[in-house]
């Protein structure tokens, strides 16, 4: 029987990662779980994020997933190591794939990162980059206006361009980066605006694309790629408003979601089973 | 003590992969072994390639390497699965990383591959691509003039441009690919010529860059990244003419090679130790 791949996120942002996973791994079946009811995770304590993430993980483990993708920067920062150590399946986060892709393309080793305030303050990207190459210089910039802008569907036009220009101006002014990591799962939706504002000489990296690429490698490495050619029906679960979830998903995916269900996580065990 | 990473190749072509490994993993120490005396592997039988590859592998295993990179398309095609099954360390080839990178960037799922006649005839790239996504269409083209051109240092000018244009013309004429994989370790040296000839709308993928990226992930996945910050001295070994090896290496690397030694492989065991 086809074993699915689990994808967890604090809400709908991880759908950009799911979209890339589905595109790059079209034979695989995915189960997406977005904790929209308790979103955003950014301002929450580490303890709370770990608790909520374990609830999502334990819920998906009952579905016999063969791999777990944490499609949320905050949850990755707080729980990736712990989950990798405690689960018997491969676990992939969104931070390191973006970092490795940036190292691959950067020629001058000056890399920019934009994300939520939580992600930038956590220092997770500079840490991932410098673990590999300590000579890399990293410029981080928190972009608080971007998530509400994207969630409100403002993806084009003068207002969107103006917000992007004003928000990115400190990064444009101060440095000579040649590579910019989109360190938030919402940002791929405005990648074209960011690219235009920063200029064509800047390589813009979407963590979602890179995470899907690495998920593909890890599956192949474990000889666990799906061999069958049936078209899988992906399942989506949300802890919050289903209609809102469907609206966002329809905007982000080419095809409408076929399977969407409400799920409650409050009763699920919030620590490791093992 | 710092454990090195082994890189094997039929000759000097794998130095482009080694260069990318050194650039993307600057803390790691590499040991490169090029079987220049018995190069090229392309026209040899599978049995012979397997024998020679095992000799290189067994020679490097005595150096306690923590990972093995097969920087040669022919050797990858014939021995990757066997080596992955029989060695206790991670083994990475050059074919799948290029395939996964192409799947990531291609929008129309029409992917071109250029390589030696052996690589194109083996069907290894179409197989790697279709294992992941059977709807991908692959156009392969053998480019026999490219390796001698690169080895003779013809990397610019009218002669080089003319050879590239004539060789690639069937690929330009027949299809609508949006992505082209350089399926030979020599080709990154003429990537600029290939890009110019094919046009800016084609994404050109260097397997070497992608292999280094995946090596970085696999090391991180096994929590085996080098933590120290000493600048490593890489070691290069050749089975053939040392001066010729040094000449090519000096042309391909920014810094001169510090350590180069002759090695004999004929006496080395030519099958698995395990």
């Amino acid at each position: 029987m086809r074993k699915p791949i689990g994808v967890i996120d604090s809400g709908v942002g991880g759908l950009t990662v799911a979209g890339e996973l589905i595109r790059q791994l079209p034979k695989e079946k995915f189960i997406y779980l977005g904790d929209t009811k308790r979103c955003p995770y950014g301002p929450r304590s580490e303890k709370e994020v770990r608790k909520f993430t374990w609830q999502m993980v334990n819920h998906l483990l009952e579905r016999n997933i063969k791999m777990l993708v944490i499609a949320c920067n905050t949850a990755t920062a707080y729980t990736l190591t712990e989950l990798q150590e405690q689960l018997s399946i491969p676990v992939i986060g969104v931070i390191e794939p973006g970092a490795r892709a940036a190292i691959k393309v950067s020629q001058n080793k000056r890399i920019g990162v934009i994300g939520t305030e939580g992600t930038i303050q956590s220092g997770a990207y500079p840490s991932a980059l410098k673990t590999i190459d300590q000579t890399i210089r990293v410029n981080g910039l928190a972009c608080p206006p971007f998530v509400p802008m994207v969630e409100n569907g403002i993806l084009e036009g003068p207002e969107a361009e103006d917000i992007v220009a004003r928000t990115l101006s400190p990064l444009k002014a101060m440095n000579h980066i040649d590579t910019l990591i989109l360190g938030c799962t919402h940002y791929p939706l405005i990648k074209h605006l960011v690219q235009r504002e920063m200029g064509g000489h800047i390589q813009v990296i979407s963590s979602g694309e890179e995470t899907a690429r690495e998920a593909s490698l890890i599956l192949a490495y474990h000889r666990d790629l799906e061999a069958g050619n049936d078209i899988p029906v992906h399942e989506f679960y949300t802890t919050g408003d289903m209609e809102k979830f469907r609206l966002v998903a329809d905007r982000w995916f080419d095809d409408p979601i076929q399977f969407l269900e409400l799920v409650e996580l409050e009763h699920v065990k919030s620590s490791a089973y093992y």
Side-chain angles (χ1 to χ4, degrees), chain A:
Chain A
M1 213 193 74
R2 193 194 287 266
K3 274 191 168 187
I5 295 166
V7 184
I8 57 172
D9 183 47
S10 57
V12 291
L15 288 171
T16 60
V17 183
E20 274 301 317
L21 285 162
I22 290 167
R23 192 178 70 78
Q24 292 184 42
L25 287 164
K27 295 183 184 179
E28 304 295 333
K29 177 190 171 86
F30 293 92
I31 301 182
Y32 182 94
L33 172 51
D35 194 7
T36 34
K37 187 178 172 186
R38 301 184 292 194
C39 183
Y41 281 7
R44 293 184 184 275
S45 69
E46 176 171 351
K47 194 180 163 191
E48 216 168 22
V49 171
R50 287 182 53 226
K51 177 183 164 183
F52 293 172
T53 304
W54 269 110
Q55 288 181 321
M56 288 199 282
V57 170
N58 286 331
H59 182 76
L60 286 185
L61 286 177
E62 289 176 9
R63 294 293 308 275
N64 202 18
I65 54 172
K66 64 179 178 182
M67 181 161 76
L68 175 71
V69 179
I70 313 172
C72 168
N73 282 276
T74 311
T76 297
Y78 289 144
T79 68
L80 178 65
T81 307
E82 179 180 359
L83 290 170
Q84 284 179 333
E85 282 167 7
Q86 304 216 25
L87 302 194
S88 58
I89 53 171
V91 183
I92 293 181
V94 280
I95 291 171
E96 289 186 11
R100 273 185 286 269
I103 286 173
K104 191 194 78 181
V105 301
S106 175
Q107 295 298 321
N108 71 5
K109 298 194 179 189
R110 292 179 181 214
I111 295 171
V113 184
I114 56 176
T116 64
E117 283 180 302
T119 299
I120 298 303
Q121 274 168 22
S122 77
Y125 278 98
S127 166
L129 291 162
K130 284 170 182 290
T131 296
I132 300 171
D133 185 350
Q134 60 168 348
T135 68
I136 286 173
R137 287 199 247 170
V138 190
N139 285 302
L141 178 69
C143 302
F146 285 2
V147 167
M149 187 178 117
V150 168
E151 296 220 334
N152 290 321
I154 305 167
L155 309 176
E156 276 298 350
E159 187 188 353
E161 286 167 15
D162 184 55
I163 293 173
V164 169
R166 273 190 291 116
T167 309
L168 293 179
S169 62
L171 200 60
K172 277 189 79 173
M174 76 179 162
N175 66 65
H176 308 282
I177 60 166
D178 68 355
T179 305
L180 178 64
I181 301 173
L182 304 182
C184 170
T185 51
H186 284 71
Y187 296 0
L189 278 297
I190 50 166
K191 184 179 179 181
H192 55 293
L193 298 175
V194 172
Q195 181 78 69
R196 216 182 300 153
E197 180 58 27
M198 294 302 292
H201 60 293
I202 303 286
Q203 304 245 30
V204 179
I205 307 281
S206 289
S207 285
E209 283 177 24
E210 304 303 332
T211 302
R213 157 84 185 281
E214 296 204 351
S216 182
L217 163 58
I218 295 299
L219 280 184
Y221 188 72
H222 286 285
R223 306 199 176 286
D224 212 4
L225 282 167
E226 176 60 39
N229 287 322
D230 305 339
I231 296 171
V233 176
H234 309 298
E235 299 174 25
F236 295 83
Y237 297 88
T238 172
T239 57
D241 189 305
M242 283 175 66
E243 279 321 298
K244 203 173 158 193
F245 188 96
R246 193 183 287 280
L247 270 173
V248 178
D250 284 349
R251 201 160 59 217
W252 293 6
F253 285 103
D254 292 336
D255 302 311
I257 281 178
Q258 292 181 57
F259 181 105
L260 175 63
E261 257 183 35
L262 193 67
V263 71
E264 279 191 18
L265 292 177
E266 280 79 359
H267 65 284
V268 179
K269 194 169 173 346
S270 60
S271 60
Y273 271 122
Y274 305 98

